Amino acid sequence: MQVLRPTYRTDEIIEALRPVLDSGWTGTGPKCAEMERAWSDYTGLPHSLFVSSCTAALHLALHVLRDGRRTEVVTSPLTFVSTNHAIRYAGLTPVFADVDESLCLNPQSVDDAIGPNTLAVVFVGIGGNPGRYMDIVRLCRERGVYLVLDGAHMAGTRVETMVDGNHTEWAHVGREADAACFSFQSVKNLPTADSGMLCLRHEALHMRARDLSWMGIDRSTFARSSGAYKWGYDVPEMGWKYNGNDIMATMALVGLRYLDADNARRRELAALYDAHLDGVERITHPPNTSRHLYQVFVPNREHTIARLTEAGYGCGVHYRANTEYPMYKWSRGATPIADAMSRHILSLPLHLGVTEAAIAEIATLL
Ligand SMILES: *Cc1c(COP(=O)(O)O)cnc(C)c1O
């Protein structure tokens, strides 16, 4: 049994793809636009840009937020390397802050890491868990730095937000951030094969990111240029080949219909693990997260991995502290809690193919 595994509604996807293939248009087209509208409706985020990956979304977000003055981005070492690579792609410098018991950034450590040169904070919701995200939102506002959400694991996570002073409601995570990035990569909660979404709060930045996601081609001049084959467009600045396509968008539109039900099932399976793993130290989530991962702490990880593998169960580590890698080693030792947790975390199988019997058996092997 794999640790992560997508469930595709194969027949439905193939039916939905047929007219797209027959139309002769599989590039960035009406299905991308439809997915952007559907994602904005689903999340309540005003501007959605469908792109080729969450990594591309993170890079574009940081690129358009740059102010030509501040060059540092406070980030987590406990993440998939693409979070921190994206900071480097944008020509910025990652400054590693430490995490708390949720494996997400600790607001105190972020506060200490923010300085006059800080442009933004990137918050990663590990496993779909918002951790102390709302405290980070407040902190970023107080300190005058941008907040970028790496919501790669967070499709479907709701957080409790204050509306009109004294009453709260559960809303999709991301509205509070200057940019929210989501992944629809093949093992994430809304799997396509590879694609992602960039939701920028400000419309002007969103429009610029849209052009930059397609080589920097100015779409207003593209729309104006005449004829069936449009060539008379302008390219005011360099962009990248980060545009989404109608094949991925079609898969995403089918998947989105199932996201809430799938996430509810993930939470049920997590609750079942909880019931079996009474004495085992584990990462807890608040209600209404996407439950992308089920993570425990184990004293001897090699030993546990060997036992699970022997019994046919995959498991994973999300993640090794990035400062252990040669390219980020200059920051080694700066985040002791992340380093310690990184040595003991283990992700157990969590996806729609996990059975109750498997959970009971896995529990006996820890
Ligand atoms: C998967 C992932 C990404 C990158 O997503 P892609 O769509 O594969 O580029 C970024 N951050 C985290 C935490 C991830 O798990």
Side-chain angles (χ1 to χ4, degrees):
M1 177 179 284
Q2 290 160 245
V3 58
L4 304 170
R5 186 183 204 285
T7 296
Y8 291 119
R9 275 70 187 192
T10 308
D11 291 341
E12 237 176 288
I13 290 170
I14 288 173
E15 270 320 295
L17 280 174
R18 198 179 303 281
V20 176
L21 296 171
D22 287 345
S23 77
W25 186 269
T26 53
T28 305
K31 286 292 167 187
C32 292
E34 192 182 331
M35 180 57 196
E36 288 170 353
R37 284 193 301 274
W39 187 251
S40 283
D41 286 348
Y42 173 76
T43 58
L45 294 164
H47 311 114
S48 294
L49 174 63
F50 187 64
V51 289
S52 55
S53 70
C54 182
T55 307
L58 287 162
H59 176 196
L60 287 172
L62 289 161
H63 182 85
V64 300
L65 289 171
R66 283 184 337 165
D67 65 2
R69 183 174 61 82
R70 297 175 293 174
T71 56
E72 293 176 357
V73 178
V74 176
T75 183
S76 174
L78 262 195
T79 183
F80 184 52
V81 285
S82 80
T83 315
N84 294 319
H85 284 10
I87 297 169
R88 302 287 303 270
Y89 296 159
L92 302 164
T93 305
V95 173
F96 293 98
D98 217 339
V99 302
D100 62 21
E101 64 288 343
S102 69
L103 302 180
C104 302
L105 281 176
N106 178 337
Q108 186 55 56
S109 181
V110 172
D111 198 25
D112 295 342
I114 293 175
N117 219 2
T118 306
L119 175 75
V121 173
V122 179
F123 184 89
V124 189
I126 294 291
N129 193 346
R132 290 165 73 192
Y133 170 71
M134 283 306 181
D135 293 331
I136 303 270
V137 168
R138 271 191 294 277
L139 178 63
C140 287
R141 285 181 191 153
E142 273 166 34
R143 302 292 306 267
V145 299
Y146 292 119
L147 175 59
V148 174
L149 177 67
D150 179 344
H153 300 177
M154 300 184 105
T157 288
R158 265 73 166 191
V159 287
E160 205 170 9
T161 44
M162 191 65 90
V163 287
D164 67 40
N166 51 14
H167 120 268
T168 61
E169 69 176 20
W170 290 88
H172 198 283
V173 72
R175 288 193 222 186
E176 317 72 13
D178 296 285
C181 305
F182 299 95
S183 176
F184 309 137
Q185 188 268 344
S186 61
V187 299
K188 303 293 161 69
N189 289 39
L190 200 179
T192 58
D194 264 314
S195 60
M197 198 69 88
L198 169 58
C199 301
L200 280 154
R201 182 157 35 172
H202 300 289
E203 177 158 29
L205 296 183
H206 164 73
M207 298 305 282
R208 181 159 172 239
R210 190 178 283 285
D211 287 351
L212 290 173
S213 74
W214 187 40
M215 310 309 286
I217 291 171
D218 180 340
R219 292 197 201 218
S220 62
T221 60
F222 182 80
R224 250 190 286 127
S225 80
S226 58
Y229 182 76
K230 301 183 178 192
W231 54 269
Y233 50 76
D234 278 328
V235 187
E237 58 175 334
M238 186 188 78
W240 291 270
K241 186 69 175 64
Y242 284 168
N243 57 299
N245 66 64
D246 275 15
I247 304 288
M248 291 299 115
T250 301
M251 293 182 76
L253 280 160
V254 173
L256 184 55
R257 296 206 279 268
Y258 294 92
L259 181 58
D260 280 340
D262 288 358
N263 286 350
R265 178 61 182 156
R266 286 171 178 275
R267 290 192 294 269
E268 269 174 27
L269 293 169
L272 210 62
Y273 268 123
D274 284 343
H276 280 282
L277 295 177
D278 213 13
V280 177
E281 224 189 316
R282 54 190 185 264
I283 307 289
T284 57
H285 282 214
N288 296 328
T289 83
S290 60
R291 253 304 174 184
H292 176 60
L293 297 173
Y294 191 89
Q295 293 170 286
V296 293
F297 291 100
V298 289
N300 184 338
R301 188 162 64 195
E302 286 318 306
H303 203 77
T304 309
I305 291 175
R307 262 205 312 267
L308 287 167
T309 310
E310 170 87 0
Y313 294 108
C315 48
V317 175
H318 300 93
Y319 293 87
R320 264 178 85 188
N322 288 188
T323 50
E324 286 182 19
Y325 300 129
M327 69 163 296
Y328 295 113
K329 72 170 192 288
W330 45 269
S331 203
R332 213 168 270 176
T335 55
I337 309 278
D339 295 350
M341 288 187 156
S342 153
R343 285 192 282 275
H344 295 287
I345 43 178
L346 187 68
S347 304
L348 303 179
L350 184 63
H351 49 79
L352 304 189
V354 173
T355 60
E356 303 186 2
I359 288 174
E361 190 183 353
I362 289 166
T364 67
L365 297 166
L366 289 184

